[in-house]
């Protein structure tokens, strides 16, 4: 029975076709396939005939009712599917569309066919191989698999994506013998996908991520170390990692950072492992983020957003919350401005419409208003802190600020020095709010010692701006204790990153002392080398017996062995020449 065609719009390469050919290709929309069948021999013949005549591949996207939703024209060797919304790759359902198209030279499924299958999560991809007369001779078909296949079958060469075991090839048969029950097949597959993913999500509701890093220059070791840091950041954000990889490329792909083939592979992995997040070790432009999300169906998170998320989870005090929110809004704003066309592009062609322009205008204006308000609050915050500082400096106590890479042991050291119990944790950015404590030295001397938020390589600039109030505190310090984890394989890179940030914040004029922490876990020879190289002090902040030399050294710096507090005053003035008190 014929039904009214949904549309007669043709997609793809229709230039140069004769009006009569266009009309006959449009007639393909009138065909219908019984739901249990993959394709009918009649449809195969008709597509073959049109392909033969035009010298172009012709394809159809068929829904589960057997209706043809799209008719697409390619060229002699390839065909491009129209842009339609991607599904979220974490889902266990497929697209609900299968792609059936002709191959003029009876080629087997191509790499592009298989990429479309996985990227678009098609139900099935079918190539109808034609002979020289345009008669269908064989159909090649493949579908996705929920887990790596043991065998590949059918003599198809193994490629990377195959090794990931992403799809199964059906036996090539003549189109009239494609008698597999399509609906049965797809239902079983979807159930299996759901089982695999369900079993994994049942263990907890944490999100799952695949990590990716693109290496354009620098060594493989360095890239590996950076990926390791991304791992720690991800875990600190409370996200599970199901896979991670680096890709070496001469340069970033300007649109999607990662190459198209790799993205396809990654989407397959995400589907198999039930991941819904893709976390990349680069900072993405809003456009790149959009492209990558569209290409993979995954939520894409860049390094800045990951760090912002961690900060968001950690912020406890009012100050901390305001600062983090400001940073997040600033990060969001340009992305918000892009959202309308992103959505309309993503939903284009499938009917659903994105939110209207007005709604987004409102969102943007509200965001800007809120940013302005938060900035005012932060200004007043800064003033409050400045007042507190000046009260403190009237009391004449020198200020020591602990700085250093996140997780270096800053808070642990503060606790060890002052006998306090600032929370400590083996995760990144455990401390967000600076805590100030009194530190009593043996010779009746006193100082204020402050713990700060940890630093990290490529600290997002919005975050630095937002944490200005906190970081300003550092400018008033008489001594910066730079705590570094000497047991880390990334010690040198971390030490340098901190030095760079101090320079960027114009804090490098303040006297500072490098403290090599976690010596209990480090090689003593290496520690000795670093001590000599940087005139540093070794400690193990978890072992109180190791901190005495540090206390001694600090005391000597602040008071230059002079026993009176008057001298301390003098030295404080000496040690930070540009303070205006
Ligand atoms: N083995 C060993 N572990 C240490 C030492 N110092 C700190 N740690 C551990 O390192 C982890 C991080 O310590 P924190 O004091 O929270 O580090 P932090 O520099 O304040 O980190 P953030 O606040 O997250 O920037 C904790 O698990 C500490 O117990 C040490 O000397 N030796
Ligand atoms: Mg801390």
């Amino acid at each position: 029975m014929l039904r009214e065609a949904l549309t007669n719009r043709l997609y793809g390469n229709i230039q140069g076709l004769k009006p009569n050919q266009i009309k006959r290709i449009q007639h393909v929309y009138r065909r219908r396939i019984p739901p249990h069948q993959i394709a009918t021999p009649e449809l195969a013949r008709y597509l073959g005939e049109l392909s033969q005549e035009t010298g172009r591949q012709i394809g159809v996207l068929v829904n589960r009712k057997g209706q043809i939703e799209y008719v697409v024209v390619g060229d002699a060797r390839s065909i491009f599917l129209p842009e339609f919304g991607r599904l979220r790759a974490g889902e266990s359902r497929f697209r609900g569309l299968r792609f059936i198209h002709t191959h003029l030279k009876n080629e087997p499924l191509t790499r592009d066919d298989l990429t479309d299958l996985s990227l678009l999560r098609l139900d099935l991809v079918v190539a109808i191989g034609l002979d020289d007369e345009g008669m269908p001779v064989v159909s090649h078909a493949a579908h996705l698999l929920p887990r790596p296949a043991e065998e590949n079958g059918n003599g198809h060469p193994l490629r990377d994506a195959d090794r990931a075991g992403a799809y199964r090839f059906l036996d090539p048969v003549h189109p009239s013998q494609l008698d597999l029950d399509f609906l049965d097949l797809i239902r079983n597959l979807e159930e299996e996908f759901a089982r695999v993913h369900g079993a994994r999500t049942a263990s907890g509701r944490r999100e799952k991520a695949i990590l990716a890093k693109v290496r354009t220059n620098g060594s493989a070791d360095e890239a590996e170390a950076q990926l390791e840091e991304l791992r720690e950041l991800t875990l600190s954000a409370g996200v599970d990692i199901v896979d991670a990889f680096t890709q070496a490329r001469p340069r970033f792909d300007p649109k999607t950072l990662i190459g198209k083939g790799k993205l396809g592979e990654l989407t397959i992995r995400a589907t198999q492992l039930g991941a819904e997040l893709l976390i990349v070790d680069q900072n993405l432009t809003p456009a790149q983020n959009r492209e990558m999300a569209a290409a993979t169906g995954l939520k894409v998170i860049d390094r800045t957003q990951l760090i912002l998320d961690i900060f968001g989870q950690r912020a406890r005090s009012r100050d901390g919350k305001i600062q983090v929110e400001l940073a997040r809004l600033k990060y969001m704003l340009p992305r918000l401005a892009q959202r309308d066309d992103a959505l309309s592009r993503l939903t284009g062609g499938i009917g659903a419409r994105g939110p209207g322009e007005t709604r987004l205008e409102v969102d943007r204006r509200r965001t800007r208003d809120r940013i302005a308000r938060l900035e005012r609050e932060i200004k007043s915050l800064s003033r409050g802190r400045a007042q507190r500082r000046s009260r403190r400096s009237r009391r004449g106590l020198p200020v020591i600020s602990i700085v250093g890479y996140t997780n270096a042991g800053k808070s642990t050291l503060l606790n060890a020095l002052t006998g306090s119990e600032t929370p400590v944790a083996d995760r990144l950015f455990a401390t967000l709010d600076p805590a100030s404590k009194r530190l009593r030295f043996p010779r009746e001397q006193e100082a204020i010692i402050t713990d700060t938020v940890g630093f990290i390589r490529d600290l997002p600039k919005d975050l630095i701006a937002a944490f200005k109030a906190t970081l300003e505190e550092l400018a008033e310090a008489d001594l910066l204790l730079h705590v570094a984890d000497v047991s880390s394989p990334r010690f040198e890179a971390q030490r340098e990153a901190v030095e760079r940030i101090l320079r960027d914040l114009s804090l490098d004029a303040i006297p500072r002392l490098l403290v090599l922490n976690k010596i209990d876990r480090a090689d003593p020879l290496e520690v000795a080398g670093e001590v000599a190289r940087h005139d540093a002090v070794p400690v193990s902040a978890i072992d109180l017996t190791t901190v005495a030399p540090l206390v001694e050294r600090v005391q000597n710096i602040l008071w230059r062995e002079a026993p009176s507090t008057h001298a301390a005053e003098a030295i404080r003035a000496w040690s930070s020449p540009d303070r205006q008190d």
Side-chain angles (χ1 to χ4, degrees):
M1 189 188 72
L2 280 185
R3 69 185 174 92
E4 276 304 305
L6 295 171
T7 169
N8 60 7
R9 174 163 173 204
L10 298 186
Y11 294 84
N13 175 32
I14 52 174
Q15 262 186 8
L17 292 177
K18 299 193 188 100
N20 160 280
Q21 289 169 335
I22 289 185
K23 202 159 135 216
R24 279 161 50 230
I25 298 173
Q26 283 170 334
H27 282 172
V28 174
Y29 276 112
R30 299 198 191 152
R31 304 258 159 182
R32 184 161 181 171
I33 301 167
H36 286 274
Q37 248 169 286
I38 292 176
T40 58
E42 294 77 25
L43 177 71
R45 268 204 304 277
Y46 192 49
L47 294 179
E49 188 186 312
L50 293 167
S51 298
Q52 170 79 359
E53 187 182 328
T54 57
R56 303 179 196 198
Q57 296 188 2
I58 294 181
V60 291
L61 283 148
V62 186
N63 67 24
R64 297 213 183 143
K65 290 187 197 139
Q67 299 166 326
I68 291 171
E69 291 203 3
Y70 298 82
V71 175
V72 194
V73 183
D75 57 29
R77 317 193 55 88
S78 62
I79 188 163
F80 288 95
L81 292 186
E83 190 64 46
F84 45 69
R86 316 269 157 139
L87 291 178
R88 293 197 49 155
E91 282 183 20
S92 51
R93 272 179 304 114
F94 296 125
R95 164 80 46 191
L97 289 176
R98 60 189 181 278
F99 184 49
I100 302 167
H101 67 300
T102 51
H103 276 182
L104 301 184
K105 300 249 176 276
N106 193 14
E107 314 93 299
L109 290 171
T110 64
R111 166 144 218 161
D112 284 349
D113 291 336
L114 295 169
T115 302
D116 284 342
L117 174 69
S118 57
L119 276 186
L120 300 171
R121 296 178 55 75
L122 298 171
D123 289 353
L124 205 66
V125 63
V126 183
I128 297 170
L130 306 176
D131 66 13
D132 292 344
E133 264 86 58
M135 285 301 287
V137 281
V138 67
S139 72
H140 309 272
H143 62 73
L144 291 171
L145 276 181
R147 51 171 109 238
E150 276 84 51
E151 38 101 34
N152 182 24
N154 303 328
H156 285 270
L158 270 178
R159 295 177 302 98
D160 282 355
D162 295 337
R163 265 185 220 108
Y167 17 76
R168 199 183 99 212
F169 297 95
L170 303 182
D171 289 332
V173 291
H174 188 272
S176 64
Q177 288 165 335
L178 259 183
D179 48 9
L180 212 73
D181 186 320
F182 170 72
L183 286 182
D184 256 13
L185 171 75
I186 206 78
R187 252 184 235 126
N188 287 338
L189 279 172
E190 286 190 336
E191 269 167 28
E192 202 177 335
F193 265 86
R195 236 188 352 265
V196 169
H197 297 161
R200 287 164 207 246
T201 41
S203 58
R205 295 247 35 100
R206 286 160 67 104
E207 287 189 290
K208 292 179 190 154
I210 292 191
L211 308 187
K213 162 148 195 85
V214 179
R215 174 164 72 91
T216 51
N217 50 30
S219 68
D221 282 356
E222 192 184 321
E224 198 40 56
Q226 293 179 349
L227 190 64
E228 182 55 35
E229 179 172 282
L230 190 68
R231 233 178 237 131
E232 285 168 23
L233 279 170
T234 305
L235 294 175
S236 295
V239 172
D240 287 338
I241 300 165
V242 293
D243 204 355
F245 65 86
T246 52
Q247 185 189 30
R249 295 173 62 84
R251 69 188 74 84
F252 294 123
D253 184 302
K255 273 196 174 153
T256 54
L257 202 78
I258 298 168
K260 186 161 184 257
K262 197 78 184 173
L263 267 189
E265 229 176 87
L266 200 150
T267 309
I268 295 166
R269 290 294 288 158
T271 305
Q272 291 176 334
L273 300 170
E276 54 268 281
L277 297 179
L278 170 62
I279 302 183
V280 294
D281 192 43
Q282 267 84 15
N283 287 330
L284 301 173
T285 64
Q288 284 172 332
N289 195 315
R290 227 169 340 121
E291 290 281 342
M292 292 179 78
T296 58
L298 296 168
K299 198 157 99 194
V300 178
I301 291 186
D302 69 1
R303 197 161 174 279
T304 296
Q305 187 174 0
L306 183 60
I307 294 172
L308 287 174
D309 280 356
I310 298 173
F311 273 63
Q313 291 171 19
R314 301 279 193 279
R316 289 285 170 275
S317 71
R318 207 173 92 84
D319 295 13
K321 283 185 179 148
I322 292 176
Q323 297 179 106
V324 174
E325 196 190 346
L326 177 61
R328 288 180 103 158
L329 290 178
K330 282 189 161 170
Y331 175 85
M332 282 269 304
L333 188 60
R335 287 162 175 81
L336 210 56
Q338 306 277 352
R339 216 176 71 197
D340 46 354
D341 52 285
L343 277 187
S344 57
R345 230 176 45 80
L346 284 179
T347 54
I350 274 203
R353 290 209 3 224
E357 183 70 19
T358 23
R359 170 74 205 290
L360 278 154
E361 276 304 324
V362 171
D363 281 358
R364 262 173 269 178
R365 203 185 58 242
R366 286 169 63 96
T367 306
R368 274 193 292 266
D369 285 352
R370 190 148 175 78
I371 287 176
R373 220 173 41 241
L374 290 171
E375 278 175 338
R376 278 197 299 276
E377 278 197 57
I378 283 181
K379 274 220 183 79
S380 85
L381 251 166
S382 284
R383 276 197 299 275
R385 279 169 189 272
Q387 280 163 8
R388 253 178 287 154
R389 280 198 299 274
S390 81
R391 273 201 299 278
R392 214 154 60 195
S393 86
R394 271 201 300 279
R395 269 188 265 129
L397 293 181
V399 175
I400 304 163
S401 284
I402 302 182
V403 295
Y405 216 78
T406 182
N407 210 38
K410 299 178 294 299
S411 304
T412 311
L413 184 65
L414 179 86
N415 290 344
L417 290 172
T418 62
S420 52
E421 285 175 10
T422 308
V424 161
D426 190 12
R427 56 180 191 197
L428 306 191
F429 302 113
T431 310
L432 269 204
D433 301 311
S436 288
K437 296 270 151 39
R438 260 169 202 257
L439 174 54
R440 262 176 247 285
F441 288 89
R443 283 168 295 193
E444 297 295 300
Q445 287 146 338
E446 263 188 13
I448 303 281
I449 185 160
T450 312
D451 184 17
T452 31
V453 52
F455 293 171
I456 194 162
R457 168 179 73 84
D458 303 330
L459 201 62
K461 98 182 165 315
D462 288 339
L463 209 54
I464 294 190
F467 274 77
K468 210 165 143 275
T470 304
L471 296 171
E472 269 169 8
E473 201 107 321
L474 296 176
E476 310 280 326
D478 299 289
L479 174 66
L480 296 180
L481 284 187
H482 172 176
V483 178
D485 175 359
V486 74
S487 76
S488 164
R490 286 168 279 148
F491 163 76
E492 189 51 30
Q494 297 184 342
R495 191 191 65 79
E496 279 172 12
V498 171
E499 291 291 330
R500 193 169 320 121
I501 293 166
L502 291 177
R503 266 199 308 281
D504 290 350
L505 295 170
S506 308
L507 296 170
D508 49 338
I510 301 175
R512 75 186 163 282
L513 176 60
L514 182 66
V515 180
L516 303 175
N517 190 29
K518 306 197 187 180
I519 53 169
D520 54 294
R521 292 205 314 209
D523 171 8
L525 267 180
E526 236 166 75
V527 174
E530 299 297 343
V531 165
R533 194 165 305 131
H534 302 291
D535 191 20
V537 188
V539 297
S540 170
I542 51 169
D543 176 2
L544 281 181
T545 64
T546 67
V547 300
L550 172 64
V551 173
E552 179 80 23
R553 182 80 176 269
V554 169
Q555 201 171 12
N556 288 345
I557 294 174
L558 290 178
W559 289 280
R560 298 201 122 187
E561 283 152 282
S564 91
T565 44
H566 293 297
E569 265 296 288
I571 285 154
R572 193 165 55 79
W574 160 83
S575 62
S576 49
D578 14 36
R579 45 188 307 156
Q580 308 156 349
D581 48 356

